[in-house]
Amino acid sequence: MEPDHVNPNPNGGDRFDLIILGASGFTGKYVLREALKFLNNPSSPLTSIAIAGRNPSKLTQALQWASRPNPPPSLPILTADTSDPSSLRALCSKTGLILNCVGPFRLHGEPVVAACAESGCDYLDICGEPEFMERVEAVYHDRAAETGSLVVSACGFDSVPAELGIMFNSRQWVSPAVPNRVEAYVSLESEKSIVGNFATYESAVLGVANANKLQELRRSRPRRARPLIPGPPPSKGETIENQKKIGLWAVKLPSADAAVVRRTLAILKENPNGLTGLNESSEVVEKREAFWSSVKPAHFGVKIGTKSLLGILRIIMVGICIGLLGNTGFGRWLLLKFPSVFSLGWFKKNGPSEEEVEKASFKMWFVGRGFSNVSLASQGNSKPDMEIVTRVTGPEIGYIATPIILIQCALILLSQRRNLPKGGVYPPGIIFGPTDLQERLQQNGISFDMISKTTISS
């Protein structure tokens, strides 16, 4: 299926700075809205955008929605389908960067990565599915490195706030102090009800169904380098935790964040100065090396928190439902047929209303525990004597924060490509950590704050 131009490129020719694939989807239209803020902005490298998907009429409607209250700009609308490799290759021939918003990625993502890796086109997505990300790394990394295709998944709420958040906390541990463990606590807040995207829910259900495949994949791959973390490994702790300092009850969250952070720390162990850029200046090399020398590895985990114990029990109930029913075909049919019932209203097929999106926000607390002096970590039966708490805050996670993050990553690729690796499949932290991504996010509504530094009494 060859892409069809509905509108010409206003800048001439038929090559675009980026193409948003799946721009008519729930998240895709918000990504498009965010991208339009930077189109032909004097301080932005973004001068041309095309949007792509299966249905041109839905793409036209998405463009109209994303542009309001202004009239829609004359963007090219291209027809492409993730089940048609020739249409994806044609997209790659028209751009150097594809933003993929078509999920679940385990069902629709791999053909897009394959087309980009083969053609040398860069690729960013908003995936939060560990199996997809790790399988793509295993299959396509070498080819992408050869062709110069930079493939980076999880460029959204999964998992940039976690990656930049642990780095921000880590960098507060000034030598000789060192962290041992950083625990992230995600708190979703809203003046209205909190409602998630059906595709996110579907990804979770399919993740349970395919959990054994992820374990098989990990067993089949060479063991990655493990960072040296001062002090003993932390205990697993309680199932339900009352974190009084930040006012939350919390339970472990089976998100992609911890796996993505571990991949970044493993790559950093193998490359202590970070990844070499395509054509870096000596100034950029010095900045990159200084940044990574300030990042100290730590054990990392993620929990979801609420202000009440009742809220945690509700989360556990939903988790049990998905865990039990997700392992059978009929159970998955029930889960996907009646998402609102089995998620206790948290996920709906038609997603949240615009008002629910606008009223929602997130806080992600990072509670780091470690040692005031690295020499203490090596002593027998040593326990952390220092705690540093930092926080990342921002707007609604799926439709506002994720598009902000994805577009800022895209703008960095467009403006700083020579400072980034030639190609390969990587997590976002190792690519964007030493760039100005944190500063860009702070300028666009996602804040990084130092909260407290205290001594822990034994």
Side-chain angles (χ1 to χ4, degrees):
M1 184 190 303
E2 186 69 21
D4 302 310
H5 282 278
V6 174
N7 299 311
N9 180 351
N11 296 298
D14 62 352
R15 189 163 177 85
F16 312 101
D17 289 334
L18 61 83
I19 294 175
I20 302 173
L21 179 60
S24 60
F26 280 123
T27 307
K29 67 179 184 179
Y30 281 92
V31 169
L32 174 57
R33 185 176 75 171
E34 185 68 19
L36 291 177
K37 296 178 185 177
F38 298 92
L39 180 61
N40 293 320
N41 184 312
S43 61
S44 167
L46 188 56
T47 61
S48 59
I49 299 172
I51 56 177
R54 292 180 298 177
N55 191 318
S57 64
K58 287 187 177 180
L59 288 167
T60 300
Q61 292 169 11
L63 180 57
Q64 292 170 341
W65 178 88
S67 306
R68 64 186 192 188
N70 301 315
S74 182
L75 293 193
I77 296 176
L78 314 178
T79 306
D81 193 321
T82 58
S83 65
D84 180 6
S86 66
S87 72
L88 300 175
R89 289 194 297 269
L91 287 187
C92 292
S93 72
K94 298 178 186 300
T95 186
L97 174 60
I98 287 180
L99 308 186
N100 187 12
C101 302
V102 183
F105 289 87
R106 75 170 65 250
L107 300 180
H108 308 292
E110 190 167 348
V112 189
V113 173
C116 288
E118 195 58 38
S119 67
C121 181
D122 290 336
Y123 169 100
L124 302 177
D125 71 30
I126 51 174
C127 176
E129 304 166 36
E131 187 207 337
F132 168 79
M133 291 186 273
E134 294 178 35
R135 185 175 70 249
V136 160
E137 181 185 49
V139 175
Y140 297 100
H141 175 78
D142 290 344
R143 183 58 175 159
E146 182 183 337
T147 64
S149 167
L150 191 55
V151 175
V152 188
S153 286
C155 296
F157 188 79
D158 279 359
S159 295
V160 167
E163 292 251 74
L164 294 189
I166 186 176
M167 290 178 198
F168 180 70
N169 187 285
S170 168
R171 297 178 74 203
Q172 310 307 313
W173 294 80
V174 179
S175 183
V178 289
N180 171 259
R181 181 172 184 83
V182 178
E183 198 81 51
Y185 297 84
V186 181
S187 172
L188 306 181
E189 302 177 4
S190 179
E191 297 172 22
K192 303 281 288 184
S193 56
I194 295 172
V195 178
N197 181 357
F198 177 72
T200 303
Y201 174 78
E202 185 180 12
S203 295
V205 172
L206 295 177
V208 169
N210 293 277
N212 60 327
K213 292 184 178 179
L214 176 57
Q215 297 309 316
E216 288 173 11
L217 173 64
R218 287 175 173 171
R219 284 194 295 267
S220 71
R221 301 190 66 195
R223 187 176 289 271
R224 298 295 293 260
R226 291 191 176 185
L228 296 175
I229 299 171
S235 62
K236 289 186 177 181
E238 301 172 341
T239 302
I240 298 176
E241 178 183 345
N242 185 7
Q243 184 63 237
K244 294 179 180 178
K245 177 166 283 191
I246 57 178
L248 294 176
W249 291 86
V251 66
K252 185 177 179 181
L253 178 65
S255 72
D257 290 343
V260 170
V261 166
R262 281 196 298 269
R263 285 174 60 210
T264 285
L265 292 178
I267 296 169
L268 185 60
K269 173 65 176 175
E270 296 160 352
N271 304 270
N273 292 320
L275 300 175
T276 304
L278 189 61
N279 186 22
E280 297 170 291
S281 67
S282 57
E283 182 181 351
V284 170
V285 171
E286 186 177 340
K287 179 186 173 188
R288 167 172 57 78
E289 293 181 351
F291 175 84
W292 288 120
S293 69
S294 70
V295 173
K296 304 165 187 69
H299 299 285
F300 182 67
V302 183
K303 296 184 177 181
I304 187 164
T306 68
K307 292 179 180 178
S308 71
L309 180 58
L310 188 62
I312 287 299
L313 296 177
R314 183 183 176 193
I315 291 169
I316 291 173
M317 286 175 62
V318 172
I320 290 172
C321 278
I322 294 176
L324 291 176
L325 295 175
N327 284 308
T328 68
F330 179 67
R332 288 192 293 276
W333 178 85
L334 283 174
L335 288 170
L336 298 177
K337 181 72 173 177
F338 306 104
S340 185
V341 172
F342 291 103
S343 71
L344 302 180
W346 272 328
F347 294 94
K348 299 176 182 177
K349 282 204 171 182
N350 58 356
S353 67
E354 290 181 40
E355 185 180 10
E356 286 168 334
V357 170
E358 294 298 330
K359 296 292 185 181
S361 62
F362 79 88
K363 290 188 175 87
M364 197 166 187
W365 303 82
F366 293 81
V367 179
R369 291 195 163 204
F371 302 91
S372 57
N373 193 305
V374 66
S375 63
L376 298 174
S378 58
Q379 296 177 6
N381 299 318
S382 59
K383 292 184 179 181
D385 68 335
M386 187 172 173
E387 180 180 84
I388 294 179
V389 179
T390 55
R391 188 179 64 195
V392 181
T393 57
E396 190 277 337
I397 61 173
Y399 301 96
I400 302 183
T402 285
I404 288 171
I405 295 165
L406 180 64
I407 293 304
Q408 291 305 317
C409 289
L411 294 175
I412 288 173
L413 271 185
L414 293 175
S415 61
Q416 303 174 36
R417 186 63 182 89
R418 71 192 187 102
N419 297 332
L420 305 178
K422 175 187 173 183
V425 180
Y426 296 105
I430 198 69
I431 298 299
F432 296 110
T435 71
D436 59 346
L437 179 58
Q438 181 181 316
E439 291 81 357
R440 287 167 171 266
L441 296 183
Q442 291 184 159
Q443 292 165 6
N444 286 275
I446 298 175
S447 300
F448 293 73
D449 300 299
M450 173 69 184
I451 303 300
S452 64
K453 181 182 290 189
T454 56
T455 299
I456 304 172
S457 55
S458 54

